[in-house]
Amino acid sequence: MGYHHRQFGTAIVVPIGLTVLYCLGWILMVRGPDVEIPGWGIWLVWGITFCIAGAGWLFHSLTVSIAHGVVQLAFGPGMIQKTIPLSAIAA
């Protein structure tokens, strides 16, 4: 029997979500006939939006598991993770 806990990152998800919504709102607002934004400007905002959303997806939670003599730490879906032997942890 081991230990397993997942902590949701509300302090990260809320600001990132609001930032993504702001960027999407800006993109929708500047799509009018009266506004002259260069094509690369829209693509730049789309790129920034996707990068911010990707960071939110990667770091939306932290999972800690202890089993079989190791501590496993993983952010979000588990693409970023670290395994530490219990023997390497000083008491």
Side-chain angles (χ1 to χ4, degrees):
M1 184 79 178
Y3 172 82
H4 180 84
H5 180 73
R6 178 174 290 221
Q7 178 71 43
F8 185 74
T10 305
I12 291 175
V13 171
V14 170
I16 286 179
L18 291 174
T19 304
V20 168
L21 287 175
Y22 177 81
C23 289
L24 292 175
W26 186 87
I27 290 170
L28 293 174
M29 255 181 17
V30 300
R31 287 280 184 164
D34 302 337
V35 181
E36 291 188 29
I37 301 290
W40 62 266
I42 296 294
W43 286 108
L44 177 66
V45 175
W46 272 114
I48 291 170
T49 304
F50 281 122
C51 288
I52 292 170
W57 178 69
L58 283 175
F59 296 105
H60 74 272
S61 66
L62 172 66
T63 304
V64 177
S65 299
I66 302 174
H68 307 294
V70 295
V71 177
Q72 292 180 326
L73 308 166
F75 283 108
M79 294 178 67
I80 300 170
Q81 58 184 346
K82 175 87 172 170
T83 301
I84 304 168
L86 283 175
S87 60
I89 300 173

